[in-house]
Amino acid sequence: VNSMPLYSEIVESTWEHIKARQRGETKAISFPFKLLNEYVVLEPGECVCFAGGPKAGKSAMLLTITVSMLKKGKSVLYVDSEISDELFTMRILSHLTGIQFWKIRNGAALTEEEEAAILEAIEWLKQQKFMHIYMPVLKADPLYITAKKAKHQIGIDCIVVDYLKADNTKDDGFSVYADLGNVSDVLKNKIAGELGIAALTAAQATATGKIADSARIARSMSTVISISDKDLAEIEEDGTGATKKIRVVYNRNGEQMLEDEFIDMVFDGSTCKYSQAEKQHERVEPY
């Protein structure tokens, strides 16, 4: 029987890993939002979840972060429970070119310059280590097998799952929530943990920012970040021009925000893109 290591045998190597992380030598991936990186980054073995209500722009958030990772030279597997390759392609081309989604979808109104920009974006995408897999019903085992194949094929740095949702074909609510919990557990522990990659996903949220479908989803996540609309009073008071906000509501590996803390975000639904507002409301620094 193999003996278990004493802490004295691992503390020094663990500290060296921490020092390497401080020097930026680990495989951590920063978000394209500077202020969010003060609280959390994407790390191997960890899973970050964005929680938002219907039409909150969860998919656009995941797409924005995915494109950012690709521009950093990262390898990404995108498992999509929402849309097919064709619709996803229209969204990512809109994001990359800044051409409104409806123009790409319809085609007739595109100028020659816009057509050229789309072809340039397609050529760029062809150079990326990137997979988009449409999986309308998320199941734990197929998700794990897909991630393992992608890891072997392109050496993925991050898996993105868009998004964790209930199987509407089932009538048994308990089974639905159990399945969601199993998928979440596999995503965090078997895929991110065993394969040594980062995981990013999204889930439906209640009005208070809590994950709606299953408490087991939240228990599997390393970090939960809420996406919500700013109300008119907040927009007027903050004066940032931003209509969305994100808030770190749960963070196993770092600071989380107080109830009145948030990051001002700009959401452009026409090009499926999120950005951090250049001007932020007066905020409390993380401690």
Side-chain angles (χ1 to χ4, degrees):
V1 178
N2 294 330
S3 61
M4 295 183 294
L6 296 171
Y7 187 66
S8 60
E9 298 171 349
I10 65 169
V11 62
E12 187 173 8
S13 61
T14 301
W15 174 243
E16 288 303 319
H17 180 77
I18 293 170
K19 294 294 289 183
R21 176 178 174 177
Q22 293 170 350
R23 295 191 297 268
E25 296 173 3
T26 63
K27 294 183 178 180
I29 307 169
S30 60
F31 288 101
F33 318 121
K34 182 179 178 181
L35 293 177
L36 182 58
N37 291 321
E38 296 179 13
Y39 294 87
V40 62
V41 292
L42 291 165
E43 297 186 73
E46 306 295 342
C47 186
V48 174
C49 179
F50 282 87
K55 306 303 179 183
K58 296 184 292 293
S59 293
M61 177 62 77
L62 298 185
L63 178 60
T64 298
I65 298 166
T66 296
V67 170
S68 172
M69 287 192 285
L70 294 177
K71 288 181 176 179
K72 291 182 174 79
K74 302 301 180 181
S75 177
V76 181
L77 167 64
Y78 197 112
V79 178
D80 206 325
S81 68
E82 283 286 279
I83 60 175
S84 65
D85 288 341
E86 185 172 320
L87 184 53
F88 179 83
T89 298
M90 288 189 282
R91 287 186 177 185
I92 197 168
L93 289 176
S94 175
H95 179 100
L96 287 168
T97 62
I99 301 168
Q100 292 176 309
F101 173 81
W102 71 266
K103 291 187 74 175
I104 291 178
R105 181 186 59 201
N106 297 337
L110 290 171
T111 66
E112 289 185 8
E113 291 78 9
E114 288 171 334
E115 289 275 10
I118 289 170
L119 293 177
E120 183 178 347
I122 290 172
E123 286 303 312
W124 181 81
L125 285 166
K126 286 165 61 178
Q127 304 303 314
Q128 308 310 309
K129 289 185 177 181
F130 180 52
M131 291 179 171
H132 177 265
I133 305 296
Y134 180 45
M135 192 178 291
V137 179
L138 289 173
K139 298 288 186 182
D141 288 344
L143 184 64
Y144 179 59
I145 292 169
T146 299
K148 283 192 72 175
K149 287 181 177 179
K151 174 74 172 179
H152 175 74
Q153 190 170 339
I154 61 172
I156 55 174
D157 297 297
C158 184
I159 179 173
V160 180
V161 178
D162 184 8
Y163 65 99
L164 299 174
K165 65 178 182 179
D167 180 0
N168 293 327
T169 64
K170 288 193 172 185
D171 296 326
D172 182 2
F174 179 81
S175 296
V176 168
Y177 296 143
D179 284 350
L180 274 172
N182 290 338
V183 170
S184 305
D185 181 66
V186 164
L187 179 60
K188 166 63 173 67
N189 296 311
K190 291 193 70 176
I191 296 177
E194 289 184 15
L195 300 184
I197 62 176
L200 174 66
T201 190
Q204 290 281 7
T206 64
T208 61
K210 293 183 178 180
I211 293 178
D213 286 324
S214 173
R216 283 188 62 190
I217 295 178
R219 285 199 295 269
S220 295
M221 298 299 113
S222 307
T223 305
V224 177
I225 304 164
S226 68
I227 307 174
S228 58
D229 294 318
K230 294 170 66 175
D231 59 38
L232 290 176
E234 286 177 325
I235 294 172
E236 291 177 3
E237 180 180 351
D238 296 340
T240 66
T243 59
K244 295 278 189 178
K245 60 183 178 181
I246 59 174
R247 189 168 73 88
V248 180
V249 296
Y250 169 74
N251 195 7
R252 185 180 297 161
N253 299 321
E255 296 89 356
Q256 58 194 46
M257 296 178 177
L258 302 174
E259 288 189 7
D260 59 349
E261 288 184 277
F262 58 86
I263 300 171
D264 298 89
M265 301 295 292
V266 176
F267 175 46
D268 184 355
S270 67
T271 57
C272 310
K273 186 177 298 184
Y274 265 97
S275 59
Q276 180 182 297
E278 290 186 15
K279 180 182 178 183
Q280 292 287 313
H281 71 286
E282 190 172 324
R283 68 191 189 102
V284 179
E285 295 292 334
Y287 55 87

